[in-house]
Amino acid sequence: MKLDRVRAAMAEAELDALVVRAPDNVLYLTNFWGMKGYEAAIFPREGEPTLICLEASAEDAARSAWTDDVRFLQGYAPDDPRPPPARTLELAQEAARGHERVGLELSLGTQASDRMVGEPTTFTAAWFEGWPGAADAVPLLSGARAIKTAQELERMRIANQIAAAAMEHVKELLRQGMSESEAAALWQGHVHGQGTNREDVDLALAFSLVWSGEGIRTFTATGDRPVQPDEPTLFEIWVCADGYWCDHTKNLCPGEVRPEYAQLEEQLLSVYELLVDLCRPGQSLAELDRKGREAIAALGHPGQPSHPLCHGVGARAHEPPYAHQAGGGELAEGMVLAIEPAIYWEGGGGLRVEDNFFVTASGPEKLSPFPDGIVRCG
């Protein structure tokens, strides 16, 4: 069980309790995905965890949280003008009282959003000053979270299914001349509307970047460029289903694929298949990254891509482990990885393929039913 794994790591690190406030860590330790980011969890090495959440979320907590110790804060307190995180801090300090060695998310770089998404909540210095001498719990949590339980894997399979169904929807509707933003809206609307309608999902949310033809780049926004005929339209897509994620890049092409893109597809899929085959227990992450980049360089594109070729997926769309040729670590059974090689042309255009793979003793298992490469449509 994952909570036993966390407690074993806490014992090794000589930590009495973890105090977490990132929505993905609260979810991981309590099974509760909060609305506003005001939530926190106190997870002791021994005894019952404590969940802190808004009073308005009482029914959600009763339905989904694993712990019976739930303490509530007011979103608006008539006699207290301070922002809600100040009250979260007080409740968390009270729940953590008596634990001598506490771990906080001191080196947390990114986190998954709460359910409201659009207005992420950050905590002030007072939160970190509330536990003087606290240890950094981020490496411990990252290591534990890298190995998925059956319950987590099932939720990630659902996210993958929702993403694929939305791609099938867009495949039937995508037409040349449609703007990239319209194409993105078709996909996002299907995820939220039909994904949330599933009996096994409370809330499905969609995130996307869509680029077409020469608009295919990395780290640029979706715009009003038209979908190009005979060239791929790239969908960089994430689905979050009740707090667990998938991360894909899929490609649709209205019409026949132009020869230069057909050649690029063949080249890139050869690298993709190499990387997927390396997704086995015991595989060096540094070697995986190095081999992938060497293969891309051999195709005439040295130094590409400018983003990781492999990273973990789970309670965040991007989470450890990350493959880096100058780093360390190795793959283990139970991990879920996004494999995403890419080649971008100078001046615009190019291709990326990406899917999620479950690492098993017998090899990698692809989680999405939607095809890789360039899918013809229209």
Side-chain angles (χ1 to χ4, degrees), residues 9-20 25 45 99-108 127-141:
M10 291 171 67
E12 185 175 346
E14 299 182 340
L15 292 177
D16 298 318
L18 304 178
V19 180
V20 302
N25 283 328
R45 193 165 75 195
H99 297 296
E100 294 184 6
R101 181 71 168 157
V102 170
L104 297 180
E105 299 148 310
L106 297 179
S107 62
L108 187 70
W127 176 265
F128 303 97
E129 294 166 354
W131 290 271
D136 184 13
V138 171
L140 183 158
L141 286 165

Side-chain angles (χ1 to χ4, degrees), residues 213-218 261 264 300-302 304 342-351:
E214 289 188 358
I216 296 175
R217 303 166 190 263
T218 185
Y261 273 107
L264 183 62
H301 304 278
Q304 293 208 37
I343 295 172
Y344 305 103
W345 293 330
E346 187 175 351
L351 199 63

Side-chain angles (χ1 to χ4, degrees), residues 32-106:
F32 179 77
W33 185 30
M35 280 295 298
K36 285 288 292 178
Y38 301 153
E39 297 75 21
I42 294 78
F43 187 83
R45 193 165 75 195
E46 298 179 0
E48 178 84 357
T50 299
L51 169 65
I52 298 166
C53 70
L54 286 166
E55 288 180 337
S57 298
E59 290 185 8
D60 285 346
R63 184 179 68 254
S64 63
W66 286 332
T67 180
D68 293 327
D69 184 3
V70 182
R71 306 182 188 184
F72 300 103
L73 68 134
Q74 294 175 298
Y76 173 83
D79 59 346
D80 188 349
R82 297 177 303 164
R87 294 188 285 281
T88 301
L89 172 58
E90 290 180 349
L91 290 170
Q93 287 178 311
E94 179 183 343
R97 190 171 291 119
H99 297 296
E100 294 184 6
R101 181 71 168 157
V102 170
L104 297 180
E105 299 148 310
L106 297 179

